[in-house]
Amino acid sequence: MELIVNFLPAFGVLALLFVFVKSAWVGKQDQGDDKMKNIAKNIADGAMSFLKAEYKILSIFVAAVAILLYFKGNAEEGSNGVVAISFIVGAICSALAGFIGMKVATKANVRTTHAARTSLGKALEVAFAGGAVMGLGVVGLGVLGLSGLFMIYSEMGWGINEVLNVLSGFSLGASSIALFARVGGGIYTKAADVGADLVGKVEAGIPEDHPLNPATIADNVGDNVGDVAGMGADLFESYVGSIIGTMVLGAAFATVPAFADSFNGLGAVYLPLVLASIGIIMSIIGTFFVKVKDGGNPQTALNVGEFGSAGLMLVASFFIIDMMLPASWTFDGTIYSSIGVFWAVLAGLVAGLAVGKVTEYYTGTGTKPVSSIVAQSETGSATNIIAGLGVGMMSTAIPIILIAAAILVSHYFAGLYGIAIAAVGMLANTGIQLAVDAYGPISDNAGGIAEMAELPSEVRERTDKLDAVGNTTAAIGKGFAIASAALTALALFAAFMQTAKVTAIDVSQPQIMAGLLVGGMLPFVFSALSMNAVGRAAMAMIEEVRRQFRDIPALKAALEVMRAVDSDMSKATKEQRATFDAADGVAEYDKCVEISTQASIKEMVMPGLLAIAVPVAVGFLGGAEMLGGLLAGVTTCGVLMAIFQSNAGGAWDNAKKMIESEGRKGTDAHKAAVVGDTVGDPFKDTSGPSLNILLKLMSVVALVIAPSIALTSSAVVAKEEIKKEVRVEVKGDSTEMAVATITTTKVVDGKEVTETKTIEGTIEEIEKKAKESGELVEVKIKKTADDAKEIKKEVSVIVEKKE
């Protein structure tokens, strides 16, 4: 185990080597004919132009924040200006993860389309290989960046708490980029999607991804910037945040004698890094299990890889924890054990997978909740939307119960460290989880390219089969991301409380209740900002698509042909076919790409600044405890809102797809379902997923500023809760002689410590001795009768300690 700890960065390098090999393999696959290559080039160019514009803005932000962090770190005790370096490295790794994922996804999409000409199995192999590059790229950069910096900082002669505070800047950099990538990508993809759907499908009556639709390229670019780069940055942030939160909490065990024998007392600090590193190996192994034959079910193949990898990780975790932690140890009067930490890891892993399966139930094609939305689409858009909102709200119940159960179980077995390590356990398999998730948008793009290139129907059937599974994996991925975000935020919250010396969040205090309410409000304001941004960008997109349909003669004539043959070009005459072919390539795709890019870059700034500025302002103006209340509020409401929005959007989407699969395109029910899907688009792809990052980013910001706002020692002592109870039992038949038992219960740092002592004598003597001890300021003796014999020889004494 010492060997693994000494070579932790090597596991990150191994993951990146796997990424290089898989990416090279994807690049060698055939792209198909010139038309397919041209479509794929347009999508790739649009995606890269967005990333270039986004990263240009973010580089300014990163530079400005790094300068502030440098001066903050140098000005306070327990931190260091090097935190700015950690921040920059974290931001670069997060951006690089998004870039790698985007690059390979835009290579894999057209190659998946061409592979679908051969077989379903070959198409799945290419699409999943593209997803695997994204997944292993994220975990490789996370482990390499974190373990590399930790080893460097550990050699600088700083204390472990200072090392971890400086290292937390890495998580802040990752979180900042993740939020902008998620919000910007979400606005981009939904502005394009709404424009393509409403004008193309509802108004013009042409199929999704049709080459006549000017917004179709922007729509396919959006799949990459939102679901590949955005999701990659999201899980990268959760992955890194959970590891750092656990390391900070594990540092508290460094002084426990039982830890002294190995890893210089830092076994609990190294454990999350080792689990993440072994998770890389298990994820790589899991990728080899994903195979399907023609006629087989791609979902089964993906499940075998995902659950097989999770099973292997669980077995490995047991032995790793057993070797790295003492069999048992005592900390703050509580006994912990290595097997308890394992149960916490198990709780996190099971909760993550279970939330994913519940999400699949509420959003999957053919399930009861989605079928209810299909049924209510028959009576129009209003009932469709009402049904979708109901499904989304109801879908919060089971995931929240599962997350709450994981929190209680992990805390019971291993305290706050258990909650943090549960998040690590949930995210240890991020490599293959993200591979399964990123496979979805690649398959979606492949279907779009097949439609635009007018490939044979069997090709589109194969890509549709992959896409249908991709929608489910995307929904499961979003559920998994929400569950991991909740546990990660709680781990970071606990780390903040430990660093800021906050012992408890007492909601009876007005400043804490105020922070709680403000925190609860933030997810609603944040969602409103992102929703309104999508609305404004979509309006511009709709106007542009309408303009092109109206003002470009060749496009207008081709649309008339499409309406005449009911979108089935096999029915077209030679003249109609010639008119249709004349419109090939005349749509001004670049104008739509430009609208989405500019809108997303402009609109992502305000939500991003809100997430960073509010915790800083509350922390410095209201203090550490008010900031704790803020984090509690934003975590509670943020998790609920994220589940509701993501699941409602997913259910609306698959309700529309169910109607289409029944051959009812163009019916009133289909039009109602398209409207519902359009409402759900920003729910599931913009504001919902962005909330995951909001609550984690705010916790990371709080952790970074914790040394600056930490409570003083005297303030912490004043918060110690002391409860005393004195019970007096009268001896025999005497009303004079008695025995008083004084039970003192102290609550320190959330842990109860009980002391008991006895005093014998008359009731008056007991009262006098109690007062003379200096412990009791006031004693009230309550009797229910004048004669002591009438009260069953027992007197209760209530003691009040005045500060």
Side-chain angles (χ1 to χ4, degrees), residues 280-608:
I280 288 174
I281 304 293
M282 300 310 169
S283 292
I284 291 173
I285 293 171
T287 61
F288 294 107
F289 292 150
V290 180
K291 294 183 185 300
V292 68
K293 295 177 181 178
D294 249 1
N297 186 355
Q299 182 72 64
T300 304
L302 294 169
N303 285 344
V304 168
E306 188 175 355
F307 289 107
S309 178
L312 290 172
M313 186 63 217
L314 201 56
V315 173
S317 297
F318 176 81
F319 292 105
I320 291 167
I321 292 167
D322 185 57
M323 286 188 281
M324 293 197 66
L325 300 182
S328 65
W329 68 94
T330 303
F331 180 74
D332 275 354
T334 303
I335 299 174
Y336 298 99
S337 67
S338 58
I339 191 66
V341 172
F342 172 73
W343 292 129
V345 169
L346 178 62
L349 191 60
V350 170
L353 295 172
V355 169
K357 297 307 286 182
V358 172
T359 304
E360 182 181 350
Y361 170 71
Y362 277 103
T363 61
T365 304
T367 61
K368 186 178 178 180
V370 175
S371 296
S372 71
I373 299 175
V374 171
Q376 294 195 54
S377 299
E378 301 292 339
T379 49
S381 304
T383 48
N384 170 282
I385 290 169
I386 290 168
L389 290 172
V391 167
M393 290 176 185
M394 185 58 72
S395 73
T396 61
I398 299 175
I400 288 296
I401 291 169
L402 288 169
I403 293 168
I407 290 168
L408 291 173
V409 169
S410 55
H411 185 270
Y412 174 79
F413 283 111
L416 291 175
Y417 184 79
I419 296 173
I421 204 72
V424 174
M426 189 182 286
L427 288 159
N429 270 18
T430 294
I432 193 161
Q433 176 63 46
L434 190 50
V436 170
D437 194 55
Y439 142 92
I442 292 172
S443 300
D444 192 7
N445 261 204
I449 292 169
E451 181 81 46
M452 286 184 274
E454 298 180 86
L455 296 183
S457 59
E458 66 265 19
V459 176
R460 183 71 211 215
E461 284 170 14
R462 286 171 183 153
T463 58
D464 280 349
K465 195 168 185 179
L466 292 176
D467 187 24
V469 174
N471 284 328
T472 305
T473 60
I476 294 170
K478 288 184 176 74
F480 179 83
I482 293 165
S484 64
L487 285 184
T488 300
L490 199 55
L492 291 166
F493 182 33
F496 157 74
M497 289 181 67
Q498 180 173 297
T499 306
K501 299 182 175 63
V502 177
T503 57
I505 302 297
D506 182 1
V507 293
S508 66
Q509 295 186 38
Q511 77 272 23
I512 293 177
M513 177 55 81
L516 194 70
L517 290 172
V518 172
M521 166 270 291
L522 284 174
F524 292 88
V525 172
F526 188 85
S527 295
L529 289 171
S530 54
M531 284 275 192
N532 289 336
V534 170
R536 285 189 290 271
M539 282 177 65
M541 184 68 71
I542 288 168
E543 290 302 322
E544 175 58 26
V545 175
R546 284 175 177 166
R547 181 196 69 78
Q548 292 194 37
F549 282 159
R550 182 180 63 245
D551 297 346
I552 300 176
L555 208 53
K556 190 175 183 180
L559 278 176
E560 293 298 328
V561 171
M562 288 289 292
R563 292 192 184 100
V565 299
D566 195 24
S567 299
D568 186 358
M569 288 305 296
S570 63
K571 301 175 184 176
T573 65
K574 285 185 179 180
E575 291 77 12
Q576 287 175 322
R577 184 74 213 188
T579 302
F580 179 83
D581 289 341
D584 186 24
V586 300
E588 297 170 351
Y589 301 124
D590 57 324
K591 294 276 179 68
C592 293
V593 169
E594 187 180 351
I595 286 171
S596 270
T597 301
Q598 290 179 348
S600 58
I601 298 301
K602 176 185 174 185
E603 300 281 5
M604 74 178 183
V605 175
M606 186 60 192

